[in-house]
Amino acid sequence: MNQKAAVGQLSALRLKYRERKDAFLEENIKVKDPFYIFRDWLSDALNTEEILEPNAAALATVNAAGKPSNRFVLVKEATAEGFTFFTNYGSRKAEEIASNANVAIAIYWMPLRRSIRIEGIAEKISKEASLKYFHERPRASQIGAAASPQSQRIRSRSYLDEVEAGIKATLGENGEVPLPNWGGYLVRPSLIEFWQGQTDRLHDRICFRRGAGVLDEVDGELVHKGENEWVYERLAP
C-alpha cells in the first residue's frame, strides 16, 4: 500500500469499543476517590498481556509564550500525592515546567478501551529521592542519562557513543555513576478524568476535581461529593 492510499484510509478506521452492559457507572465505583479507581484500572492494565508499557503516558507542557509541546514519559510512582516521572532537568520539558508548572498527562490503554487524563502542577522531588531511584536503574541507563544533553542539538549519533565511551572509561567497570542534572517531578493533580469507550460512541467520562471552591459546586445532581475533598461529575462524550 502506498502512502497516499494509507492516509486515505484514516477516515474509515473504526475500532469496536465496549458494549452498553460494560458501561462505567458511578454506582459501581466502591470508593469515590480517583486514586482508588486509578489503582483498580492500573491493576487491569498490568494483567493485560497486550499492554506492554502500562505506565507510558503523554506529558503536555506549555512554555512561557503559551506554546504547548507533548511527549511520552514513564510514570514511575502513583500515590495519593500524585504521579512521578523522571527526566533531565535541562530538557525542554523541564525548562517549560520551570516557566509554567501547569501540566497535563494522558494515558491510553487501548486493549481495555480506557483512558485517563490528568491535570495538575509539577514540582521537583527531593534530590535524595531522585538519587535513590537513579541508582536503582540499570547501570547502562544511568550512563545513558549522564551521556545525553537531552533536547540539545548534537552533531551525530556517534557523538553520544563517544561521550558514553568516555564515561565508561572514566568510571571503569564498577565505578558509581554520579547523578547528572536529572531527577523526578511529582504532578499534584487537580483533575483526573476516566474515559471508557463505548461502541455506539456514547463513551463514559467521569471526572474528579479537587481544589479551591470545588466543594461549593456540589449540588447532588450534576456535581457530587467524593472522598478526600474530591468532587466528581459525568461529562458528555
Side-chain angles (χ1 to χ4, degrees):
M1 183 183 297
N2 60 39
Q3 291 182 347
K4 185 175 181 180
V7 172
Q9 289 195 4
L10 288 176
S11 63
L13 294 177
R14 290 287 184 278
L15 181 67
K16 185 177 181 180
Y17 293 115
R18 291 177 178 246
E19 301 302 329
R20 187 63 58 86
K21 63 182 177 61
D22 300 317
F24 178 42
L25 303 176
E26 293 86 339
E27 54 262 36
N28 294 333
I29 302 173
K30 295 178 181 178
V31 181
K32 303 299 194 294
D33 182 310
F35 289 105
Y36 171 87
I37 305 171
F38 179 85
R39 288 190 294 269
D40 190 39
W41 282 23
L42 176 62
S43 178
D44 290 342
L46 289 167
N47 289 298
T48 301
E49 290 185 3
E50 299 92 331
I51 301 176
L52 302 181
E53 276 194 315
N55 60 333
L59 171 73
T61 56
V62 180
N63 67 14
K67 184 177 180 181
S69 63
N70 200 3
R71 80 288 291 156
F72 282 94
V73 298
L74 296 177
V75 175
K76 288 298 184 177
E77 189 174 36
T79 69
E81 285 190 279
F83 304 86
T84 301
F85 68 91
F86 293 84
T87 188
N88 187 303
Y89 284 152
S91 65
R92 176 177 176 179
K93 69 178 82 65
E95 291 179 353
E96 293 184 351
I97 289 171
S99 64
N100 186 339
N102 290 284
V103 302
I105 294 173
I107 299 170
Y108 182 45
W109 294 318
M110 188 276 291
L112 296 175
R113 279 49 170 182
R114 285 173 173 171
S115 179
I116 300 174
R117 196 172 64 82
I118 301 158
E119 296 176 8
I121 300 293
E123 61 185 50
K124 287 182 178 180
I125 66 174
S126 70
K127 185 175 181 180
E128 292 74 20
S130 291
L131 181 64
K132 180 179 182 296
Y133 173 72
F134 182 74
H135 284 138
E136 291 173 352
R137 305 176 85 208
R139 192 167 188 273
S141 297
Q142 297 178 40
I143 293 174
S148 175
Q150 193 175 110
S151 300
Q152 305 305 309
R153 297 186 183 95
I154 56 175
R155 65 176 184 270
S156 65
R157 168 74 199 200
S158 62
Y159 167 81
L160 294 176
D161 295 335
E162 293 167 7
V163 176
E164 180 188 45
I167 294 172
K168 289 180 177 179
T170 299
L171 296 176
E173 290 187 8
N174 301 311
E176 183 176 286
V177 183
L179 181 69
N181 186 26
W182 184 99
Y185 284 96
L186 171 67
V187 178
R188 296 186 183 274
S190 57
L191 180 150
I192 304 178
E193 179 187 323
F194 298 89
W195 177 96
Q196 184 169 280
Q198 292 285 329
T199 294
D200 60 8
R201 269 40 186 182
L202 294 178
H203 308 306
D204 291 308
R205 296 174 62 190
I206 297 180
C207 182
F208 286 78
R209 294 182 293 118
R210 183 168 66 181
V214 298
L215 291 174
D216 296 334
E217 300 177 35
V218 173
D219 59 11
E221 182 177 353
L222 295 177
V223 183
H224 309 273
K225 185 177 180 181
E227 306 287 338
N228 300 315
E229 299 184 337
W230 289 95
V231 303
Y232 65 95
E233 59 216 354
R234 177 171 288 269
L235 303 178

